[in-house]
Amino acid sequence: MDLTLRVLGVVRSPLTDPATAPRFETENAPRAEVVLDPAYRTAAKSLEAGQEVLLFTWFHLADRDCQEVHPRRDRNRPLTGVFSTRSPDRPNPIGLHQVRIAAIDGDVLTVEALEAVDGTPVIDIKPLADRRGR
């Protein structure tokens, strides 16, 4: 069984510190770029500006030993198992982001409202809704 993840690209964002980054895209997350590895150019060729996609990332700065967190980093909230939260700290730190592609320029996708920090690896992209019956 091969469980190797392939990094498809990397996030370029003005966000640099996970501690101060927005927790959700709806919390003033900035526009960012997804710079794809040219090896995946064919896989991305049918993406379009205006399209909503699910962007899967690998939270490379996460604490993979973490099993409980105070939700939203609020110490007034009780410790909660990470599988009941959206915390980036978790055994397999996979991020899930619903984003709209604002523009495509070669291997660079500009996306609206992405809360991932600069340098975050991108591991998959999937359409939110299959508009073409595929």
Side-chain angles (χ1 to χ4, degrees):
M1 175 184 323
D2 181 10
L3 294 178
T4 303
L5 286 175
R6 293 189 175 106
V7 175
L8 309 179
V10 66
V11 171
R12 292 290 170 230
S13 171
L15 301 173
T16 58
D17 183 0
T20 59
R23 302 304 282 172
F24 295 96
E25 69 278 355
T26 57
E27 296 176 347
N28 296 318
R31 183 177 270 208
E33 293 180 340
V34 174
V35 181
L36 294 173
D37 182 320
Y40 298 104
R41 188 172 291 147
T42 300
K45 75 177 184 178
S46 298
L47 294 174
E48 301 172 351
Q51 183 177 12
E52 288 193 48
V53 296
L54 295 174
L55 186 68
F56 294 83
T57 60
W58 187 265
F59 290 133
H60 62 297
L61 302 176
D63 177 356
R64 295 190 67 185
D65 295 323
C66 183
Q67 292 195 32
E68 288 184 307
V69 295
H70 293 281
R72 302 185 62 75
R73 299 187 201 114
D74 181 352
R75 294 217 172 258
N76 293 320
R77 291 181 165 187
L79 280 172
T80 304
V82 295
F83 296 155
S84 295
T85 75
R86 295 283 304 265
S87 172
D89 296 323
R90 53 197 325 110
N92 286 312
I94 297 170
L96 174 62
H97 317 269
Q98 181 177 332
V99 297
R100 179 180 304 277
I101 299 172
I104 301 173
D105 184 11
D107 297 323
V108 180
L109 310 177
T110 301
V111 297
E112 301 289 345
L114 180 60
E115 72 279 17
V117 299
D118 190 62
T120 299
V122 174
I123 59 172
D124 207 353
I125 302 169
K126 296 185 182 211
L128 183 63
D130 192 353
R131 301 179 301 184
R132 296 184 210 129
R134 288 181 236 173

